[in-house]
Amino acid sequence: MPEESIDSRIRKGGFIRGLILGCIVLALSIVSFYFITSASTTPVVALVVLYGFSTAIPLAATVLFAINLRINLGGYWTFKQAVTGTFIMVFCSYILLLIGRDLVFVKLIEPDMAQKTEAAMLKNSAIMYKQQGIAQAQIDTKIADMKKQFGDGQGTSAGGLIFAFVETTILLFLLAVLIGAVVKKEPPVFAKS
């Protein structure tokens, strides 16, 4: 099979898997939002859900989809092919998440998502600090710092949004390089007769 055909199959397979991964990440993002803001849980459970749903599960799914793509291509691909397929997959997933969550979900279904998330995170942090035995004055200072950090993200300019998009794209490429290094499998140099 010619090299162009394999590269075309990598791009197409990465795009399709990226759309599936994007749907998974979007669903996890929405479920974690409702869980954190609605469910009465301990701060530890809220953090586990937040980071598990936003990092661990999507990362594991990305690796599995990359391995699946490699298997569908015949079981072997170079490092460049692995990075290309993985980057297309994670970038498509990111674009679908931006459209689904930030443009559709936030604008049409939950316009006050940021405020609800902030309130839930501040509440859970205060509870966690109290459980650790931290003095109320220190808790108030830490909560004020957290409010200030949340406030810094309010009213982001177009330049800030573009910078965040470029920064995320670079981080996704670095992630694709790492995953590509893990899932690459070069064909054997000498075939057994």
Side-chain angles (χ1 to χ4, degrees), residues 46-105:
L47 287 175
V48 168
V49 168
L50 179 66
Y51 292 110
F53 281 19
S54 67
T55 306
I57 294 173
L59 185 60
T62 302
V63 171
L64 291 175
F65 283 160
I67 291 170
N68 176 265
L69 180 58
R70 182 191 74 203
I71 291 169
N72 284 347
L73 294 171
Y76 299 108
W77 61 0
T78 64
F79 176 69
K80 178 184 174 192
Q81 291 169 332
V83 171
T84 300
T86 305
F87 179 71
I88 290 170
M89 186 171 38
V90 295
F91 188 72
C92 287
S93 170
Y94 174 61
I95 295 297
L96 189 64
L97 178 67
L98 281 179
I99 293 169
R101 184 192 62 200
D102 297 343
L103 294 180
V104 175
F105 184 73

Side-chain angles (χ1 to χ4, degrees), residues 160-177:
L161 293 174
I162 292 170
F163 179 76
F165 180 80
V166 170
E167 182 180 43
T168 302
T169 302
I170 292 168
L171 291 173
L172 289 175
F173 179 75
L174 293 175
L175 177 66
V177 168

Side-chain angles (χ1 to χ4, degrees), residues 90-146:
V90 295
F91 188 72
C92 287
S93 170
Y94 174 61
I95 295 297
L96 189 64
L97 178 67
L98 281 179
I99 293 169
R101 184 192 62 200
D102 297 343
L103 294 180
V104 175
F105 184 73
V106 169
K107 299 292 183 196
L108 301 176
I109 300 169
E110 279 294 340
D112 53 346
M113 180 181 180
Q115 292 82 8
K116 287 182 179 180
T117 303
E118 177 183 347
M121 294 302 290
L122 292 173
K123 176 185 155 203
N124 284 331
S125 296
I127 292 169
M128 187 174 64
Y129 292 144
K130 283 181 185 178
Q131 289 174 347
Q132 293 174 350
I134 297 175
Q136 187 61 43
Q138 290 178 323
I139 292 173
D140 292 341
T141 303
K142 289 183 179 201
I143 296 298
D145 289 342
M146 288 178 69

